[in-house]
Amino acid sequence: MTIKEQLLQEIEQAPDALLVEVMNLFQQAKQRYANKKGFMRFAGIAQDESALLQEIESEIEINRELDIIRAIET
């Protein structure tokens, strides 16, 4: 039996008050899933821009080193 079939069987046996609560939880979970999916799509786009990411990482490292030097000089 698939998960969908199991859920349908449970739904058929559940009282309406419980179904309202389950529906709310399900809608919240769907929204979180959609948000996560959108973020993962964005992350994939960012990953495709590896040269840009490497440049940003290099700048961060240079700035970190400059901050250390400034802290030592002070």
Side-chain angles (χ1 to χ4, degrees), residues 13-73:
Q13 298 172 7
D16 287 345
L18 177 59
L19 292 177
V20 170
E21 188 173 339
V22 170
M23 183 62 158
N24 289 336
L25 291 171
F26 183 75
Q27 289 173 333
Q28 290 172 5
K30 276 180 55 178
Q31 185 61 47
R32 283 194 308 273
Y33 178 79
N35 291 344
K36 181 178 178 183
K37 190 175 177 182
F39 173 77
M40 294 307 287
R41 196 174 319 118
F42 167 77
I45 291 169
Q47 186 178 14
D48 292 341
E49 301 296 330
S50 62
L52 176 61
L53 291 175
Q54 287 176 351
E55 182 181 333
I56 292 169
E57 289 172 357
S58 294
E59 288 182 30
I60 290 170
E61 182 63 24
I62 290 168
N63 286 332
R64 187 184 70 79
E65 290 172 3
L66 287 173
D67 288 343
I68 291 171
I69 292 169
R70 288 184 192 121
I72 293 171
E73 291 175 349

Side-chain angles (χ1 to χ4, degrees), residues 1-16 18-19 22:
M1 180 178 287
T2 68
I3 188 68
K4 191 178 280 190
E5 291 169 335
Q6 290 173 347
L7 283 169
L8 289 171
Q9 185 178 23
E10 291 294 330
I11 288 169
E12 289 296 324
Q13 298 172 7
D16 287 345
L18 177 59
L19 292 177
V22 170

